[in-house]
Amino acid sequence: MREIVIPELIVAFFLFFPLIQPFVKGLWGISGISWLPPAALLIAIGIFPAYGWRPECVPLLAAALLFSLISVRPALHGAIHPESPASGDFREPGLHITIPGFAIFAGAVFTALFFSPATDSRFTSSGVRELALQNGEREYFLRIYGETEPSPDMETGNAAAGPRPFIFLIPPEGGSIPAVDLICAGFRDRGFTVISYSRRGFDSPAAAVGRTYPPSPLAIRRIWRNFRLGTVREKVNAYGRALETGRREDIDFLLPLVMRNYLPQGSPLFLAGYGAGGGALVYRAGAEFAAAYTAVKGIIAIESPLWSVFEGEERVLREIPGNSSWFTAVRIRAENWFAQRKPRVLVPESAPRPALPVLYLMSDRILDKRPGKNRYDAVYAALRNAVSPAALAALEGAGPLDYTGYPVTHPIYRILFPGTGKTPLGGKAFVDSTVAIITGFAALLSGNSAGVLDLRKPGANVHVEIRSWTLPDFRYILNP
């Protein structure tokens, strides 16, 4: 996707000449320069359908729109009076126009170029298979990273130290497979076979064989509101619950299919999910699930607020004393009427109790325990409620989107959605650290197959909390 720099530079080139035209005498007689901003606007608009949602290009698009509006008058003058294309109006624009114009131009171009992606392609292509599935009216797209058989030892030709561990990864509903492609490739390179998927009409953008469907603005708005307010407002929380229900339906359909067709005999299976997917896994993994899917060794919930844990507090209504005056009775009825219509405060209730080991991988915002910062209250409730080994890990400086591939493909998200801590990590280092933490967790649970994994230390400090921990020392994850 690095080629996005080319249209960005073309837009910048087209906007630069109208800015400097008043100061370069040789450009005064060229009327066509006034048409460059509208051309830049068309190119800037085309960046989004060609490269997907690129927030760093929004200022460039806005600058192109502004300069296009400003250029309308000289462009029309040149078209109506071709014999005198230089009207003279632009030669002395004044500092009140020149300085803001250059500032807007510089800020827009800097943002677009500085936060351009570091990769050259949207999807990893080597060692990947793609297929489409249908379940009634639901369309699924699967990507399989790596081999589905044990890796042979290159010297002896025998199977490696153990079967390749397997990860079934549920992507975030906002971003889908493109958001986790680099994460999946990282797992493959460290010894896993990975399957991820996208469901059309649920994920935004949805992926398909050979293409991606553009995100729905309405879906993006709902996902954004749920991200911000899903643990605060009851109506928004209902949407988060619906997302978790949808992911549970995906698990019930896809997991048996994956185990039947792609999981080699003896391979340990790990289930990882982002957002609603992580919440669905945590709720689904009860004792009955663990008994039915014995190949599943552990669960990783990544930046999953567990929306289904939150319930609205019961409203407390005042009773009207029997000896109350009519005025007091009316006042209490009015207070109760307003209390019933006031939005209920959401609090975590009925936290799930998975029967499998769980790793909660969260932004370091979870460490902010000030009153009212309840986005992660349900995670702490689930951690306290654990009956099987459970661990919470938060990479220092990691924001809510930093456990995806976005630090590399959308670097601006690290500015828009930062963590609370300071870290020297760059974008690729966040991806590598995410893969390292989860690989270490899988190695603790994999038994003999841990020998096929490429274990590495995370690139920054990791905050860790454990509950009901009966497994080997968790520090093994941080210092393999």
Side-chain angles (χ1 to χ4, degrees):
M1 206 188 298
R2 186 67 179 175
E3 67 273 9
I4 193 176
V5 171
I6 297 174
E8 290 173 347
L9 289 175
I10 294 175
V11 172
F13 181 81
F14 283 3
L15 297 180
F16 179 68
F17 273 92
L19 277 175
I20 66 169
Q21 187 180 24
F23 307 101
V24 181
K25 189 173 182 180
L27 300 177
W28 289 359
I30 305 177
S31 60
I33 289 180
S34 300
W35 292 102
L36 290 179
L41 177 61
L42 293 177
I43 296 173
I45 293 173
I47 288 176
F48 293 89
Y51 297 96
W53 174 243
R54 305 301 313 181
E56 73 274 10
C57 292
V58 172
L60 194 64
L61 176 64
L65 175 61
L66 175 63
F67 293 155
S68 295
L69 295 175
I70 294 174
S71 69
V72 168
R73 184 166 175 260
L76 292 178
H77 181 275
I80 297 173
H81 304 286
E83 70 284 354
S84 57
S87 66
D89 292 341
F90 60 80
R91 296 182 191 175
E92 297 181 0
L95 293 178
H96 66 289
I97 295 178
T98 303
I99 293 178
F102 274 104
I104 293 172
F105 170 80
V109 173
F110 173 81
T111 302
L113 296 178
F114 184 80
F115 293 107
S116 61
T119 58
D120 292 323
S121 61
R122 180 167 300 171
F123 275 140
T124 300
S125 57
S126 61
V128 176
R129 287 182 291 160
E130 299 179 345
L131 65 149
L133 295 174
Q134 194 84 19
N135 180 26
E137 297 182 353
R138 296 175 183 168
E139 298 179 31
Y140 291 94
F141 164 71
L142 271 64
R143 276 177 67 87
I144 306 174
Y145 298 74
E147 303 295 332
T148 55
E149 296 296 335
S151 299
D153 185 281
M154 298 303 293
E155 294 183 0
T156 65
N158 299 323
R164 290 174 65 94
F166 212 95
I167 292 182
F168 177 66
L169 188 144
I170 304 173
E173 51 278 0
S176 193
I177 291 181
V180 295
D181 178 61
L182 293 178
I183 300 294
C184 293
F187 287 135
R188 176 202 59 198
D189 295 342
R190 286 163 175 78
F192 290 94
T193 297
V194 187
I195 289 186
S196 190
Y197 74 93
S198 174
R199 194 218 294 186
R200 188 177 180 184
F202 189 97
D203 294 285
S204 187
V209 176
R211 64 169 296 181
T212 57
Y213 296 98
S216 162
L218 180 59
I220 291 295
R221 178 180 178 274
R222 286 178 175 175
I223 291 171
W224 168 243
R225 291 189 74 238
N226 194 58
F227 171 79
R228 292 181 56 248
L229 304 171
T231 59
V232 178
R233 295 186 181 178
E234 196 168 12
K235 289 185 178 180
V236 182
N237 176 264
Y239 178 70
R241 289 169 173 265
L243 291 177
E244 291 180 343
T245 299
R247 286 307 195 202
R248 285 198 287 270
E249 294 169 352
D250 294 344
I251 294 167
D252 292 340
F253 170 67
L254 291 174
L255 185 57
L257 183 147
V258 166
M259 295 183 65
R260 183 171 60 250
N261 296 314
Y262 301 105
L263 184 68
Q265 183 71 29
S267 288
L269 175 61
F270 297 90
L271 308 180
Y274 287 80
L281 287 172
V282 171
Y283 264 99
R284 194 72 180 85
E288 183 178 343
F289 179 91
Y293 298 98
T294 56
V296 178
K297 303 303 180 185
I299 291 172
I300 302 97
I302 308 168
E303 198 58 30
S304 301
L306 307 180
W307 290 295
S308 296
V309 176
F310 288 91
E311 300 282 354
E313 283 188 326
E314 292 295 330
R315 296 187 176 97
V316 178
L317 303 180
R318 294 181 57 187
E319 294 185 1
I320 302 175
N323 58 348
S324 299
S325 65
W326 69 269
F327 178 79
T328 301
V330 169
R331 179 172 56 81
I332 293 176
R333 289 193 183 96
E335 291 175 355
N336 289 342
W337 187 88
F338 283 108
Q340 287 179 316
R341 282 149 185 81
K342 183 179 179 181
R344 295 196 296 177
V345 176
L346 296 181
V347 293
E349 299 284 354
S350 61
R353 308 183 77 179
L356 293 167
V358 180
L359 171 65
Y360 299 96
L361 186 56
M362 300 291 158
S363 159
D364 72 351
R365 294 185 183 187
I366 197 172
L367 306 180
D368 184 356
K369 299 179 181 179
R370 291 176 295 172
K373 302 291 183 179
N374 67 337
R375 173 176 168 80
Y376 299 99
D377 283 356
V379 177
Y380 273 116
L383 195 64
R384 292 190 299 268
N385 205 40
V387 293
S388 295
L392 165 68
L395 190 64
E396 182 182 11
L401 303 181
D402 285 340
Y403 296 116
T404 66
Y406 284 147
V408 174
T409 62
H410 294 71
I412 196 170
Y413 285 153
R414 292 207 54 213
I415 304 299
L416 299 177
F417 305 99
T420 59
K422 295 181 180 179
T423 176
L425 291 187
K428 184 61 166 61
F430 264 115
V431 172
D432 292 340
S433 294
T434 299
V435 174
I437 293 171
I438 296 175
T439 300
F441 178 71
L444 283 178
L445 306 173
S446 293
N448 293 335
S449 64
V452 307
L453 296 177
D454 177 5
L455 301 178
R456 305 181 189 180
K457 181 179 179 180
N461 295 328
V462 182
H463 172 84
V464 172
E465 298 181 31
I466 58 176
R467 295 289 189 279
S468 301
W469 198 259
T470 57
L471 300 173
D473 192 344
F474 193 85
R475 285 176 296 181
Y476 174 77
I477 292 178
L478 310 180
N479 297 283

